[in-house]
Amino acid sequence: MMNDRIETPFFILQKISNGVYAAIAKKGEGAWSNSGFVDLGTELVVFDSFSTPAAARELRNIAEEMTGKKVKYLVNSHYHGDHVFGNQVFEDTTILSTSLTRNLFKERNILREVETEREEMTKYLQDLQNQIENSIDDVIKLSIQNQYNEMNKIYEAVQELKMVYPTVTFEEKLVIHGTQRSVEVYALGGGHTPCDTIMYVPQEKVAFMGDLLTEGIHFPIYNPIDFIDIVNKIKTMDLDIVIPGHGNVATLELCETVLKYLKDMVTKAKEAIDSNHTMQDFQSSFTMQEPYSKWLGQNGINRNLETVYMFLRNS
């Protein structure tokens, strides 16, 4: 008999429906992003691998002990380290991603000598600590503190960390057929990164979204127009439950929150460009409405405003 909820030092494992479990990351404890697994019948498929091997190891151990089955597949939603730095725990499985995600993973997640990594990360953590001490805005201070806590866990894991890349690639769609249920893996385009993948469990009407859907953070934007198009596609899917890349298990209502965030920036950036305002003027005059003004990653809003402005100006 499987438990409906298990709490670990890294995450809370929640039973979503038959054979579908979400691993919701605890803030600052070494998971950073959400993960989860699906029981296909005779084996398991895991979606994303957290930011540290320790968190990934905990998930795999629990999943295999609970079900009495082995993990056969790991799906990487995109190349960001908080979703793939636990890949080494699944090195003996088939690791899946799009070919573009695999290429980006190899190009941008480069692990140097341990001492070099430690030196660079020590400087970065010290800079974050200085920002925390000097910040007078409570939301920004909390955001930076969260970044510090998450990065510190990666710092602690550097000694054992190694990059393990996807071993099988696909382009737009891949179906993994199991004896009890199947999963459909879709690459819907590039919104958050140049290539973002979701995993859909049609029998249970559940999907793992990676960072195409998140809760309460200023998620990085790669292409704002494609991002809006992708979220609109997600809205048309036959879904009851979505598991965001960060935040709590949700319904499709989360799509509306993300869409409003994206559309508001696009609309105001177009107005600024049409009025010949500079990007700096656009950033300084932009007013973030509720609930977005309370989101973590407040420094990320300026990054996103610059991305949207420059993308539209150069389109």
Side-chain angles (χ1 to χ4, degrees):
M1 184 73 177
M2 289 191 240
N3 294 327
D4 287 353
R5 188 178 186 278
I6 295 175
E7 185 164 351
T8 81
F10 307 100
F11 57 84
I12 296 173
L13 188 70
Q14 297 176 222
K15 181 178 180 180
I16 304 302
S17 62
N18 279 341
V20 183
Y21 282 77
I24 305 303
K26 291 182 172 180
K27 284 185 172 61
E29 297 298 337
W32 200 341
S33 65
N34 295 337
S35 177
F37 68 90
V38 177
D39 185 347
L40 299 173
T42 56
E43 63 260 335
L44 308 174
V45 56
V46 172
F47 186 83
D48 280 345
S49 64
F50 296 134
S51 62
T52 65
R57 197 173 295 117
E58 182 82 351
L59 178 64
R60 182 170 187 176
N61 288 341
I62 289 175
E64 292 185 342
E65 288 174 7
M66 283 174 56
T67 64
K69 301 165 188 179
K70 295 293 185 181
V71 175
K72 186 172 182 180
Y73 305 100
L74 169 67
V75 177
N76 284 164
S77 64
H78 59 291
Y79 73 92
H80 287 166
D82 56 322
H83 294 258
V84 301
F85 280 177
N87 272 16
Q88 67 191 71
V89 172
F90 302 93
E91 193 169 9
D92 61 328
T93 74
T94 300
I95 304 177
L96 306 165
S97 78
T98 65
S99 55
L100 179 53
T101 291
R102 186 180 192 276
N103 291 340
L104 290 166
F105 191 161
K106 293 190 73 174
E107 290 169 9
R108 302 189 185 184
N109 294 332
I110 298 171
L111 192 63
R112 297 162 297 179
E113 291 184 357
V114 171
E115 287 310 311
T116 302
E117 289 291 343
R118 284 188 180 277
E119 287 176 11
E120 290 298 316
M121 291 187 72
T122 298
K123 292 176 184 176
Y124 178 69
L125 290 169
Q126 184 59 58
D127 179 61
L128 290 177
Q129 189 63 51
N130 292 338
Q131 291 180 54
I132 293 167
E133 292 172 1
N134 295 325
S135 177
I136 59 174
D137 184 289
D138 288 341
V139 175
I140 291 177
K141 182 173 287 190
L142 182 60
S143 299
I144 301 170
Q145 183 66 60
N146 186 63
Q147 179 78 4
Y148 178 92
N149 294 341
E150 301 289 5
M151 289 302 300
N152 191 54
K153 290 297 180 182
I154 296 177
Y155 173 83
E156 293 173 356
V158 163
Q159 186 71 39
E160 68 164 326
L161 193 63
K162 70 175 181 175
M163 296 297 103
V164 174
Y165 308 117
T167 52
V168 173
T169 58
F170 68 99
E171 298 311 316
E172 295 181 358
K173 180 181 178 181
L174 176 70
V175 180
I176 305 173
H177 298 281
T179 57
Q180 291 184 8
R181 61 184 55 81
S182 299
V183 298
E184 299 173 3
V185 185
Y186 293 97
L188 298 177
H192 170 63
T193 70
C195 192
D196 301 297
T197 294
I198 68 170
M199 186 171 77
Y200 176 46
V201 192
Q203 189 172 322
E204 275 71 35
K205 299 183 180 181
V206 176
F208 294 81
M209 289 295 169
D211 284 355
L212 287 171
L213 291 182
T214 60
E215 179 192 39
I217 62 168
H218 290 281
F219 47 81
I221 298 169
Y222 171 72
N223 180 322
I225 305 304
D226 282 358
F227 210 144
I228 289 170
D229 182 58
I230 290 166
V231 178
N232 278 324
K233 287 178 182 176
I234 291 169
K235 283 174 58 180
T236 69
M237 297 177 70
D238 186 16
L239 279 170
D240 291 334
I241 298 292
V242 294
I243 295 127
H246 299 267
N248 296 310
V249 174
T251 67
L252 281 176
E253 288 183 11
L254 185 58
C255 290
E256 300 301 334
T257 303
V258 171
L259 280 173
K260 186 177 184 304
Y261 178 83
L262 293 166
K263 289 179 178 179
D264 193 32
M265 278 191 283
V266 167
T267 298
K268 291 183 179 179
K270 285 180 178 177
E271 291 173 354
I273 292 167
D274 290 343
S275 300
N276 293 318
H277 293 163
T278 66
M279 187 265 292
Q280 289 79 11
D281 288 340
F282 169 57
Q283 286 179 315
S284 62
S285 64
F286 186 88
T287 302
M288 183 57 64
Q289 304 296 320
E290 296 283 357
Y292 311 105
S293 60
K294 297 294 191 294
W295 281 9
L296 294 182
Q298 284 290 309
N299 290 337
I301 184 59
N302 284 329
R303 173 202 61 220
N304 285 343
L305 291 172
E306 180 178 357
T307 297
V308 172
Y309 179 95
M310 298 303 294
F311 179 89
L312 294 174
R313 197 186 72 171
N314 296 329
S315 296

